[in-house]
Amino acid sequence: MQFLSDNTSTACPEILAALEAVNHGRVHSYGDDEWTQRLERCFGDYFATSVRAFAVATGTAANSLSLATLSPPYGAVFAHREAHIETDECGAPAFFSGGAQLALLDGEHARITPQGFAQALADHPSVNVGLHSVQPAALSLTQMTEHGTVYRAADVARLCELAHARGLKVQMDGARFANAVAFLGCHPADITWRAGVDVLSFGATKNGALAAEAVVFFDTTLVRDFELRRKRAGHLFSKSRYIAAQLLTYLESGLWRRNAERTNALAQRLAQAAAQYLLHPVEGNELFLKLGVERRQQLRAAGFEFYDWGPPHRGEARLVVSWDQPAADVDALCAALARL
Amino acid sequence: MQFLSDNTSTACPEILAALEAVNHGRVHSYGDDEWTQRLERCFGDYFATSVRAFAVATGTAANSLSLATLSPPYGAVFAHREAHIETDECGAPAFFSGGAQLALLDGEHARITPQGFAQALADHPSVNVGLHSVQPAALSLTQMTEHGTVYRAADVARLCELAHARGLKVQMDGARFANAVAFLGCHPADITWRAGVDVLSFGATKNGALAAEAVVFFDTTLVRDFELRRKRAGHLFSKSRYIAAQLLTYLESGLWRRNAERTNALAQRLAQAAAQYLLHPVEGNELFLKLGVERRQQLRAAGFEFYDWGPPHRGEARLVVSWDQPAADVDALCAALARL
Amino acid sequence: MQFLSDNTSTACPEILAALEAVNHGRVHSYGDDEWTQRLERCFGDYFATSVRAFAVATGTAANSLSLATLSPPYGAVFAHREAHIETDECGAPAFFSGGAQLALLDGEHARITPQGFAQALADHPSVNVGLHSVQPAALSLTQMTEHGTVYRAADVARLCELAHARGLKVQMDGARFANAVAFLGCHPADITWRAGVDVLSFGATKNGALAAEAVVFFDTTLVRDFELRRKRAGHLFSKSRYIAAQLLTYLESGLWRRNAERTNALAQRLAQAAAQYLLHPVEGNELFLKLGVERRQQLRAAGFEFYDWGPPHRGEARLVVSWDQPAADVDALCAALARL
Amino acid sequence: MQFLSDNTSTACPEILAALEAVNHGRVHSYGDDEWTQRLERCFGDYFATSVRAFAVATGTAANSLSLATLSPPYGAVFAHREAHIETDECGAPAFFSGGAQLALLDGEHARITPQGFAQALADHPSVNVGLHSVQPAALSLTQMTEHGTVYRAADVARLCELAHARGLKVQMDGARFANAVAFLGCHPADITWRAGVDVLSFGATKNGALAAEAVVFFDTTLVRDFELRRKRAGHLFSKSRYIAAQLLTYLESGLWRRNAERTNALAQRLAQAAAQYLLHPVEGNELFLKLGVERRQQLRAAGFEFYDWGPPHRGEARLVVSWDQPAADVDALCAALARL
């Protein structure tokens, strides 16, 4: 039974059906087709505001292209030390931006705190040394975070306020955005543009798509730069309809919510079973457990696959529930946890 | 009736069926799955040699990642003036490599000649000024070319020989590789590794896939560098099986050849009908016509879509036959050409 | 007797004296000193307008930093095929800008013509293919050119007008700017801001300084970006006074003009002696001769050092007169030319 | 009285005399002159081994060019959190390398400890996530450190051993290398190649030169790559003799040692006077004092200039003794410290 990551999952039948549904007729390439054209209206409806939205196929592309649009090569992007852009994208933000540097922040449960961010802005070398230092350019928030926790709307708003007051733009890495919305029970707008977010990497792949993410600009002034960077990076797809179709179905059919609610609920059951081992509150579809090396080994011996978290000797584990996870897997894991 | 580009086509039913066929079970992500693992053997069989092969989703990614692996930032990549990497990728090779420069060559019908290449090597500024100039690093050949012509195996071999003698690696942009093989009736090996090609961008998207290309290394020494660059550029897909499945089906079912043979044959019919207007020999699925502004307009008025080629005033046109082009489109176009 | 290049010369005694003159007292570093502060006023006087001016130590730094400020990574910089930024800076513009590409123009005697530039703008791929191509961003003019010729003020004005009409900025590579002004007998303003130039790389090293160039912004909106790029590239000097002092002396003492007038005049004498071999009009301190391989060899045997120009077999030669060239060298060379 | 930085100082008379001494005769440019040619032998003598050595004009250039030679764009360079390359070079290492990332280490008094480095290597994300992370490529040590302390030879050796065991190269930022050697009383070889250092940024500017640093390769395999990067970055000087002359004089006249011994000794006197305020051991020419905001203000009111260190509210100060610091300044400061 496999709890490695939500990106080990299949694509939803609805998503594959959507590919079939658009698979007729020759249409203009590179996004000049009816489905891609409809994408922005669809995201506009979803967010209840006017947006510019662009499809890409990987989360790294979404994050790095948007950050490269927000930060000059000599910019600093504030991010949590556990952020995916720091730990798991092989330095992509620096590559796409021409060298922008991440300024790493601490914060419990992988959440940046307004206090921590304010302090980091105040202490940033640029304050003292001016142009001898990289220049604060953007704040990147991960929603939900890399520790499976969720920023409340008020926290996002406070962080955006601090960023904007210093002239920084705010990007949100929403690889698991649906899980965050489902957890909060809020409107997608509440934790994005209403709170001040300028650009969102909107993930769909982990939550049921085949390969589809979107970059959603609430601040639309930088869109031309983004489009040229996307093309230049090989992330503009000739047969764009097949990514667009995934995103349209994901949004319009309510798939985003159904899948996220299901995985969140299953994760809550696991959270109860594993309460004594929890390193972080379970607010989405991920659990982080301090099992110790031995119990971790027992779980694996019992047939459960999952990743070590951090250096092996720390005895920590991450378990992720996928949209296509059989409920029986969760039952079995609950039982196994009880037996530890 | 639409002759804009082969990338305006749909995906083959076989390709969509392949996506369905792998859509079961959670598997390791990022390529550690049975289908992706099988890809290298499959390409090995196809090329009758041992290779390393990597899936990406766009031709720009395939070309730029492979060139970045072959050329240092201060490298010069020799390419034809009409090459896609020069005219249609928004400077991607420079972006991926950190600044490598294209050294542009002329040559009839978009083919580099051994004489032209030898001369360019002899005249390259680096010969005179040493490290004041960028340094020759790679040769990029487009097969089939941007003018719809095909290099013969002996030409590829001679060009590779010249390149290797000067320490340059050879990359082939094979966005329409299948059309070239179908035209020559040769073995895929004959115009690649047997002729000296080091790395191939193997295209499938234009010829029936949804979004799937491969980078095939015949010289496998640089693979680790490539893999890191691919990840860093956001071109490593988490749900890798869905690209792998496209490529496996494309190769194993013979789709690559069937589609290429069909479009080549349809294009030959058009070539006969348009013989007096041909700018270049028709050796694949593309025609380039010197129609003049007026006849071009007539064709469009008759319901045919295609691109101007070059500046509008030149009166040139490109027409491309897609794998899913109805034969009736070709009939109609032949008739319309006769009426001009 | 050595006619290799003007950068093989010594530094003027006045320049070394200037270094001595500022060599007292500890002052703030990185340009916050009285001499560096005075530089902008001094350049303002020189150009009879308000400017922002920044010292760097090499021409490559001046050119590349200014171009990186004018062009995004996906920009195209129009330049003559013979431009130093194309042939002799090892791809520096691409490095500094993150990948900007040179769009090369022909033009007799290394001068871009308004017609040629207008045509290149009209034919640029971006017109047809939009964001699939790099985007025209800047025009770079070399004054005096790499073939020793000089743009007239009206030509510069016409070229700038064409550039600005398309939204491009204009940079001038003035490594031998003094020679051009001396030849034209114009005011420095006439061939720069009055003609529409936005940024000038102002050279002093070749014409008598030790190592000092300036980047002079007539369009001052991009200065902050430039300053950060300069620092980041290691071209902001801690002991800035020693570059500033060179430039102040060079401008204020009239050295720039004296040296340029002298080398221009000596080159005119050579031009008369070599009239039958001239490849280009001699308008500054450089001569380009079509000698043939044999005569070139005879001159060298007679004790003259100079560079082959282009591939050796072409039999061409470049000879450059330096500010410290003994008049006797010129006499001897005239005599030797007469004997050929 | 000014204790802001050692780069606010003048150039030594010996250095200016050296410029005069080479200011005769036209010589080949770009380093093909007798003085530049002699540089490698001179550094070879200095380090008692065969080296390749290259002159540049700023410390940022020396550090970044050498790091770019050691690290691929997807590399991680381990460095202390206080390192100049992190805090004061505006992201230069990322710019020069095409995106390499600094992995920051803590360590008392700005010294990396073998334990800390070993732990960081063990905990590096690449261990767990493979190519999803940047790849450890180099270790950068600052000698003397940014807190004015000095690594002992055995520490350098242990750190290099750890680095090499993992395939990392070692670069040393020696902007104040002379002060470190003077403090240790060791041979320059002892803390460089004998301890395992692969490349050294050898500083002379702060210690009496006008603008001269050298990159010294003990591992000479990467020299060609470095030379091309230097040219491409605008750091190859046409009139190379004037940098070479500075370095030759600096080394051959013993200036490096005399100046360093003098400033170290003066700093020791200050260290005694400021003993109760010292944040770090004084091992070179820099003092870091925890004065509190009020005392800091008193010192300034008494006529002493120096920088705040860190955020102003922390009340910390850095004072640096320059090679040309009048002894009277030090007397006065000692007295003022006593009066606080």
Side-chain angles (χ1 to χ4, degrees), chain D residues 12 178-179 204-209 250 255-257 259-260 263 323:
Chain D
C12 279
N179 296 87
T205 308
K206 287 183 163 72
N207 196 35
Y250 183 74
L255 196 59
W256 69 274
R257 186 190 294 278
N259 283 352
T263 56
W323 79 268

Side-chain angles (χ1 to χ4, degrees), chain C residues 177-220:
Chain C
F177 184 76
N179 297 85
V181 175
F183 171 75
L184 294 172
C186 68
H187 191 280
D190 295 341
I191 52 171
T192 53
W193 66 272
R194 281 189 195 136
V197 171
D198 297 298
V199 189
L200 171 69
S201 294
F202 178 89
T205 308
K206 287 183 164 71
N207 195 34
L210 187 150
E213 316 277 310
V215 179
V216 182
F217 283 88
F218 303 108
D219 172 344
T220 60

Side-chain angles (χ1 to χ4, degrees), chain B residues 73-74 98 131-132 225 231-232, chain D residues 73-74 98 131 225 231-232:
Chain B
Y74 43 77
L131 57 69
H132 294 256
D225 182 75
K231 168 62 197 173
R232 176 175 177 76
Chain D
Y74 43 77
L131 57 71
D225 181 76
K231 168 62 197 172
R232 176 175 178 75

Side-chain angles (χ1 to χ4, degrees), chain C residues 46-64:
Chain C
Y46 181 75
F47 284 108
T49 189
S50 157
V51 304
R52 299 294 311 273
F54 301 92
V56 294
T58 68
T60 295
N63 284 332
S64 294

Side-chain angles (χ1 to χ4, degrees), chain C residues 75-88:
Chain C
V77 175
F78 291 84
H80 195 282
R81 190 175 303 285
E82 299 289 333
H84 202 262
I85 55 173
E86 161 66 9
T87 60
D88 285 277

